[in-house]
Amino acid sequence: MIRDTSGQDRRIEIAQPRINKRWIVIGGVAAAVLVALVWLVPSVARLMSAGSSASAASLRIATVKRGTLVRDVSAQGKVVAAQAPTLYATAAGTVTLLTHAGDKVEKDQVLAEVDSPDLTNKLQQEQATLASLEVDVGRAGIDARQKELLAKKTVDSALIDRQTAAREVERKSQVFEKGAMPEIEVLRAKDALAKADLDVTHAQADARLQNETAAFDVKTKHLAFERQKLLVADLTRQVDQLTVRSPVAGQVGQLLVQQKANVPINTGLVTVIDLTSLEVELQVPEVFAHDLSIGMPAEIADGATKYKGELSAVSPEVVNGQVVARVRFAGDKPAGLRQSQQLTTRILIDERPNVLMVERGSFVDSGAGRVAYLVHDGIAERRPIQVGATSLNAVEILSGVKEGDRIVISGTDAFNGAEKVVLN
């Protein structure tokens, strides 16, 4: 039997190469640095290209979109009466009030009476003068008719004398032709006829003058009478105005004097509020003043209910950057409205469909509407733009951006005009 060689076999240990741990650490650090560079290089590049950085949390960013821009102005207004007349004393006297503050009154209802003895006495005196002048007008008419009759009598007498003289001339001419009378008598008769003709002419002229004089006297008296009638009518009107009547139907606002007070002329007595013509008065920012025009549609809100209105007046004066405007109700109005009640009012200035617009922010004022910061890849880049129409909550963009762009609308003051700003 042949012996195997297993007894001669010997295990040989293969030596493993020794790896230095320091190189493993160095490799790990190198890999980490490589990964960091991959992530940090773009950010560093952006930071190097930007002028400054800012926190995105402190900014308001909005998206440019296309839609309908409604230009309007909204403000809190107060209810005022379009007609709120103050009634005055037309003469000095003692006032008797016949109503109370808050009372409802009808048109022409008596609200107060003023007792003015001086004015009442003056009216009575002028009425007596008017009666006297009326008598004078009647007397002047009678005198005129008398003078007319007297003048007619004189003319008629002259005509009769002429007719007698004419007959005398005819008779003496016939006698002269028969030779029974000398010619001198005929000539004398003709002279008498000529004189009678002159008397008729003068009597007629004198009658015309007397009639004209009488008519002139009558006219003078009549004019004085008519003038006195006007004076009495005016005094009657003044006395009638001592009874103070409401010019409108409404409500008594204030009593401006005490009962039985002795007041001078032109003293305010009572105010009346016309509740049928209430309007809303509001303060509009000066920037919208040139866009407002009478008749613009408006919306008046009383709680959750809205009512149609229209702009009825715009003040030409600017006070503290505000312009006073008034809006009247175009149809129905809330029941139970009161003077100085607060209502929210919205005036619709313009409506522009299919325009590029963005939410309104401080960038409109800070950049004068000519620059905006366009946001992309974490950077806000300064971009020239052109702003069109503006409303309370939106701005039309005419150029510089496109639909879908995102721009910073508020918080750009911290950018200090930098061309590019990194947003953290």
Side-chain angles (χ1 to χ4, degrees):
M1 179 176 180
I2 299 172
R3 299 175 60 184
D4 59 15
T5 60
S6 59
Q8 300 176 0
D9 293 340
R10 185 165 56 97
R11 183 180 298 275
I12 300 174
E13 297 292 338
I14 300 174
Q16 295 292 333
R18 298 180 63 185
I19 300 175
N20 194 333
K21 293 183 178 180
R22 186 181 62 177
W23 291 106
I24 295 176
V25 173
I26 292 174
V29 171
V33 171
L34 181 60
V35 172
L37 288 175
V38 170
W39 287 98
L40 291 178
V41 166
S43 298
V44 172
R46 290 199 306 269
L47 184 60
M48 295 297 293
S49 64
S52 62
S53 63
S55 173
S58 64
L59 307 177
R60 287 180 59 201
I61 301 174
T63 302
V64 178
K65 59 184 180 180
R66 187 171 292 277
T68 300
L69 176 68
V70 178
R71 300 182 63 214
D72 57 4
V73 55
S74 182
Q76 193 78 3
K78 65 178 180 179
V79 176
V80 296
Q83 297 186 64
T86 299
L87 308 182
Y88 294 86
T90 57
T94 303
V95 179
T96 301
L97 297 174
L98 304 177
T99 187
H100 302 86
D103 288 352
K104 289 186 177 181
V105 295
E106 299 297 330
K107 185 177 181 180
D108 294 329
Q109 180 177 333
V110 179
L111 305 181
E113 292 179 347
V114 180
D115 182 18
S116 178
D118 292 341
L119 186 59
T120 304
N121 184 49
K122 185 176 181 181
L123 173 61
Q124 293 172 350
Q125 291 178 2
E126 297 300 338
Q127 286 175 335
T129 302
L130 178 64
S132 176
L133 289 176
E134 185 177 11
V135 172
D136 289 344
V137 170
R139 183 181 296 110
I142 294 173
D143 291 343
R145 289 193 295 273
Q146 287 179 342
K147 290 179 179 179
E148 182 180 0
L149 290 174
L150 182 59
K152 187 175 184 301
K153 179 180 177 181
T154 302
V155 172
D156 290 341
S157 178
L159 289 174
I160 292 174
D161 292 341
R162 182 193 178 284
Q163 185 177 3
T164 301
R167 287 176 180 174
E168 188 67 18
V169 169
E170 182 180 0
R171 184 181 66 80
K172 288 185 176 181
S173 296
Q174 292 175 356
V175 174
F176 170 72
E177 291 175 357
K178 293 179 180 181
M181 181 177 290
E183 184 180 5
I184 188 64
E185 295 296 332
V186 176
L187 294 175
R188 287 175 180 172
K190 289 181 178 181
D191 292 339
L193 177 60
K195 182 177 179 299
D197 288 335
L198 289 176
D199 291 341
V200 170
T201 301
H202 291 162
Q204 291 174 340
D206 187 58
R208 287 194 297 270
L209 289 175
Q210 289 186 12
N211 291 339
E212 291 176 1
T213 301
F216 181 78
D217 291 340
V218 171
K219 185 176 181 180
T220 301
K221 297 291 186 181
H222 188 73
L223 289 175
F225 174 71
E226 292 296 329
R227 182 171 60 251
Q228 188 65 21
K229 279 179 63 177
L230 293 176
L231 179 59
V232 169
D234 184 62
L235 288 172
T236 301
R237 176 188 59 81
Q238 294 182 40
V239 170
D240 183 65
Q241 287 181 346
L242 295 177
T243 301
V244 181
R245 303 176 184 273
S246 175
V248 295
Q251 186 177 25
V252 176
Q254 298 181 30
L255 301 179
L256 305 178
V257 295
Q258 298 295 324
Q259 184 72 274
K260 297 299 181 180
N262 192 8
V263 298
I265 189 173
N266 295 329
T267 299
L269 304 178
V270 61
T271 61
V272 181
I273 301 171
D274 184 1
L275 298 179
T276 63
S277 60
L278 294 176
E279 296 181 344
V280 180
E281 183 179 274
L282 62 154
Q283 303 283 339
V284 178
E286 179 184 358
V287 67
F288 294 103
H290 67 281
D291 295 324
L292 300 179
S293 61
I294 305 301
M296 279 185 171
E299 194 175 72
I300 304 170
D302 181 23
T305 307
K306 296 182 179 180
Y307 299 87
K308 292 183 178 180
E310 62 179 20
L311 190 63
S312 61
V314 180
S315 173
E317 183 181 9
V318 177
V319 179
N320 297 328
Q322 303 286 325
V323 175
V324 178
R326 282 196 177 191
V327 174
R328 71 164 65 98
F329 289 92
D332 296 336
K333 58 178 177 289
L337 284 181
R338 293 185 176 275
Q339 184 91 337
S340 300
Q341 181 177 341
Q342 298 291 320
L343 294 176
T344 301
T345 305
R346 176 169 168 256
I347 302 174
L348 305 177
I349 299 175
D350 191 11
E351 186 173 323
R352 302 192 177 202
N354 194 30
V355 298
L356 280 178
M357 61 183 186
V358 71
E359 185 180 349
R360 182 166 182 169
S362 60
F363 80 100
V364 177
D365 300 322
S366 61
R370 292 192 290 269
V371 294
Y373 281 88
L374 181 65
V375 178
H376 61 88
D377 296 334
I379 294 180
E381 183 179 354
R382 183 183 173 95
R383 183 74 61 86
I385 64 170
Q386 183 179 359
V387 173
T390 62
S391 69
L392 287 177
N393 52 15
V395 181
E396 180 186 9
I397 307 296
L398 300 178
S399 64
V401 295
K402 62 182 182 301
E403 185 177 358
D405 287 346
R406 299 170 67 240
I407 64 175
V408 180
I409 63 172
S410 180
T412 58
D413 294 340
F415 292 178
N416 296 322
E419 291 296 327
K420 292 183 180 181
V421 179
V422 175
L423 303 182
N424 302 323

